[in-house]
């Protein structure tokens, strides 16, 4: 982690779980194009946009999904879900997170989707391919944490997420941010797979 500047917040992430919350079935709208979508037999996944393939149902969870890398306390799916163990959930709740920040996985009671309720202002350095169906950009890359400019002291304890999702559809994801005290609490516990990045003004 960077040490040359004082951290005002931390981005929280985990290693790739090698799985997709939206399932493994995919198709190509145009066989001559490399772009693909979640769905099957030419029909898009019901939680996604027919135009760009991006996820529209923001609270969707696969009723049969189970985490693969089960020795980790945090792991991430290819399609943007950050999943935490019951142990890490308890640690986060003891450091500012609320019950509403965690979504239970129907088929996996040992893990939760970390979906913070509080959002922070962000912008994207580059945006492209506005979808004519849903009105969103299919590509939004290089997150810019605007909230850092407004802070006069480190971000309060708790969990937050960016107001935008970053990456390219159908694999966009929001950035999860935690307060400095929350990061220190995480570091003081024996947790597997934690990735913390300092966010400095």
């Amino acid at each position: 982690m960077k040490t040359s500047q004082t951290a005002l917040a931390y981005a929280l992430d985990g290693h790739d779980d090698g799985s997709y919350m939206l399932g493994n079935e995919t198709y190509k709208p145009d066989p001559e194009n490399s772009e693909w979508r979640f769905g099957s037999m030419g029909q898009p996944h019901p939680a996604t946009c027919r135009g760009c393939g991006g996820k529209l149902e923001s609270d969707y969870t696969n009723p049969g999904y189970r985490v693969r890398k089960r020795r980790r306390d945090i792991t991430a799916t290819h399609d943007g879900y950050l999943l935490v163990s019951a142990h890490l959930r308890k640690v986060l709740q003891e450091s500012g997170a609320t019950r509403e920040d965690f979504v239970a996985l129907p088929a996996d009671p040992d893990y939760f989707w970390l979906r913070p309720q509080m959002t922070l202002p962000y912008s994207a350095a580059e945006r492209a391919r506005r979808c004519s169906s849903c009105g969103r950009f299919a590509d939004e890359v290089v997150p810019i944490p605007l909230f850092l400019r407004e802070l006069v002291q480190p971000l309060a304890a708790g969990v937050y997420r960016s107001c935008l999702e970053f990456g390219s559809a159908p694999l966009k994801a929001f950035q999860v941010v935690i307060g400095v005290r929350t990061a220190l609490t995480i570091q003081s516990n024996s947790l597997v797979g934690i990735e913390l990045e300092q966010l400095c003004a």
Side-chain angles (χ1 to χ4, degrees):
M1 294 182 292
K2 299 177 182 178
T3 58
S4 58
Q5 292 178 287
T6 300
L8 294 176
Y10 285 81
L12 174 64
D13 206 350
H15 293 290
D16 188 358
D17 192 60
S19 60
Y20 298 93
M21 181 66 72
L22 273 70
N24 294 318
E25 291 189 328
T26 63
Y27 72 98
K28 290 185 176 182
D30 181 355
E32 298 183 0
N33 194 304
S34 62
E35 292 185 2
W36 58 275
R37 304 280 189 270
F38 286 108
S40 62
M41 304 294 289
Q43 295 299 313
H45 189 289
T48 65
C49 173
R50 179 175 292 275
C52 66
K55 189 176 65 176
L56 291 181
E57 192 176 326
S58 60
D59 58 352
Y60 174 82
T61 53
N62 184 332
Y65 180 86
R66 286 181 58 82
V67 168
R68 289 183 177 179
K69 309 295 176 63
R70 306 191 68 79
R71 296 181 64 181
R72 298 176 183 169
D73 286 293
I74 187 168
T75 190
T77 68
H78 289 307
D79 48 350
Y81 289 74
L82 192 61
L83 308 173
V84 301
S85 67
H87 182 194
L88 178 51
R89 176 179 182 250
K90 182 175 182 293
V91 170
L92 290 171
Q93 286 183 314
E94 291 173 348
S95 188
T98 68
R99 289 179 55 189
E100 290 72 25
D101 293 322
F102 304 90
V103 179
L105 301 180
D108 198 341
D110 296 325
Y111 284 85
F112 300 83
W113 175 21
L114 177 54
R115 188 173 185 274
Q117 296 301 296
M118 292 187 289
T119 60
L120 297 170
Y122 268 74
S123 67
E126 297 180 20
R127 287 177 165 179
R129 296 192 299 148
R130 184 187 286 274
C131 178
S132 59
S133 296
C134 67
R136 303 179 183 182
F137 287 97
D139 303 310
E140 294 184 276
V141 298
V142 191
I144 301 175
L146 300 176
F147 74 94
L148 292 175
R149 305 172 187 173
E150 305 170 2
L151 292 177
V152 294
Q153 60 185 8
L155 186 67
V159 295
Y160 310 78
R161 62 184 168 94
S162 57
C163 64
L164 299 174
E165 291 188 334
F166 298 97
S168 296
L171 303 179
K172 297 174 72 175
F174 51 73
Q175 187 170 65
V176 172
V177 178
I178 59 176
V180 173
R181 288 186 180 179
T182 304
L184 293 175
T185 300
I186 286 176
Q187 291 172 323
S188 68
N189 282 267
S190 298
L191 296 161
V192 178
I194 300 292
E195 291 187 349
L196 291 173
E197 177 188 354
Q198 284 190 0
L199 300 179
C200 305

